[in-house]
Amino acid sequence: MDDLLRIDDRLDGDQRLIRDTVKSFVDDRILPYVGDWFEEAVFPARELAPVLGELGLLGMHLSGYGCAGTDATSYGVACRELEAGDSGLRSFVSVQGSLAMFPIWKYGSEEQKSEWLPQMAAGQAIGCFGLTEPDHGSDPSGMRTYAKKDGSDWILNGAKMWITNGSIADVAVVWAQTDEGIRGFVVPTTTPGFSAPEIHKKLSLRASVTSSLYFDDVRLPGSAVLPEVVGLRGPLSCLSEARFGILWGVVGAARACLEAAVSYAQSRVQFGKPIGGFQLTQEKIAWMYVGLAQASLTALHLGSLKDAGVLRPQQVSFGKLANVRAALDIAREARSVLGGNGITLEYPVIRHMTNLESVLTYEGTQEIHLLTLGKALTGLDAFR
Ligand code: FAD
């Protein structure tokens, strides 16, 4: 499909190299198989993680400890190409890099960093991020998971829900209430009292492992706490990192849907001509491209702000809200262009479409980002 606006001309040489490398990895190692993974509800994380590590994609925008240390736009471009494969693949990389490695890198002790970051960057250890609880999703401030001091140790009790990579993780970054406020804990998943059953029957993000986490008197040494942060700003700063990956990633999912729709419309003949030759189909395709190009430009702009070190959480909310919405609209429209074929896994569209329903919800629902923008624009808080 023609890149009409030549938006990628604004990428520099390194960013284009990363784009092309990730795209060919996705073309070779993901696209031929992901329909089956989705159908069977599996994600071969142990096989893929070392390859992703080798490509430098795990914690790629972090520096030191075996991380690639790229700029933010490069990280965004990589997320875009990964999610053109599947949102589950991008989720794996986002959770590993932005939700599990980032808090250790940013708020961890030297000991925590040198123990975990090199093996996580190499894909030898898998991480997860436990914030959401069964009764506390959009409002994590009410979380009930509690870590109590016992001498120099901590005793952790509680439960988390909807945790990506939970049952395959080697280490969980868990956020819990303490007598001092919310703290983060680095929890090896072999610690007695920790369990992580997988959540089944999902009809979205099926090629991604989602789990509950349970902590039953999990005893942790004093050194397990992230020393450099107290309060909700810890997990919220991680979410801002991961949302940046999402606002880029969904552009890839949307592009894959539009490409599938264009190619189908060019070859599917009804009433004696390709359906792409009908004005009603062209209207759909033109609007899909407008949405895609606007989302791409938003991602590029926010990437420049992040690279300049001035990106604000409200701006990330704008990108997450606008780009996920655009991607979901494109996926739904593309599905209609494919007619009956739009509902099978022989084509990527319905897979992206149902995945994007999760992406709309996680890392702050559409409503939460609307409220964030509303507050930024009016100065009035409508959250409560
Ligand atoms: P709720 O908070 O109960 O919201 C239900 C509805 O009410 C939503 O539409 C919401 O927008 C709306 N709502 C809530 N408050 C308001 C308000 N003030 N005004 C208007 N409407 C409101 N969490 C993690 O910690 N780690 C993970 O790795 C992770 N991975 C996930 C993977 C998947 C596939 C999914 C589906 C979720 C994942 N999550 C994860 C959890 C995700 O972040 C939460 O589902 C999300 O924050 C919403 O919480 P909830 O599901 O409890 O919905």
Side-chain angles (χ1 to χ4, degrees), residues 168-210:
I168 53 169
D170 301 286
V171 61
V173 172
V174 177
W175 300 93
Q177 291 285 2
T178 71
D179 291 346
E180 308 152 6
I182 290 172
R183 305 287 311 252
F185 294 86
V186 180
V187 183
T189 56
T190 49
T191 313
F194 179 97
S195 58
E198 190 169 348
I199 296 173
H200 295 290
K201 302 193 186 224
K202 285 182 303 168
L203 292 178
S204 170
L205 275 190
R206 285 173 63 77
S208 172
V209 174
T210 315

Side-chain angles (χ1 to χ4, degrees), residues 237-304:
S237 65
C238 303
L239 291 175
S240 240
E241 288 295 304
R243 287 167 183 159
F244 177 78
I246 292 175
L247 70 89
W248 272 93
V250 293
V251 174
R255 188 188 71 207
C257 290
L258 177 54
E259 283 172 354
V262 170
S263 142
Y264 192 83
Q266 286 167 335
S267 59
R268 174 71 176 171
V269 174
Q270 289 294 291
F271 298 98
K273 67 177 190 182
I275 58 168
F278 295 116
Q279 290 181 352
L280 288 175
T281 309
Q282 291 202 357
E283 181 183 21
K284 290 179 186 176
I285 286 168
W287 278 123
M288 283 191 265
Y289 185 75
V290 169
L292 178 68
Q294 287 173 336
S296 301
L297 289 168
T298 296
L300 262 181
H301 175 62
L302 296 179
S304 322

Side-chain angles (χ1 to χ4, degrees), residues 337-359:
V337 172
L338 268 69
N341 281 320
I343 70 153
T344 84
L345 288 171
E346 298 298 322
Y347 295 85
V349 177
I350 188 108
R351 179 168 52 75
H352 284 300
M353 192 189 98
T354 65
N355 282 340
L356 288 166
E357 292 291 344
S358 285
V359 181

Side-chain angles (χ1 to χ4, degrees), residues 129 131-132 137-138 162-164 205 361-363 365 367 371 383:
F129 173 89
L131 177 65
T132 306
S138 299
W162 301 117
I163 307 306
T164 303
L205 275 190
T361 286
Y362 71 21
E363 311 261 353
T365 63
E367 292 74 17
L371 291 171
F383 277 91

Side-chain angles (χ1 to χ4, degrees), residues 3 5-13 15-16 19 73 296-302 304:
D3 178 14
L5 294 192
R6 307 205 61 80
I7 293 173
D8 266 14
D9 286 2
R10 292 177 51 181
L11 301 179
D12 68 23
Q15 292 160 351
R16 281 185 220 172
R19 173 195 67 190
T73 299
S296 301
L297 289 168
T298 296
L300 262 181
H301 175 62
L302 296 179
S304 322

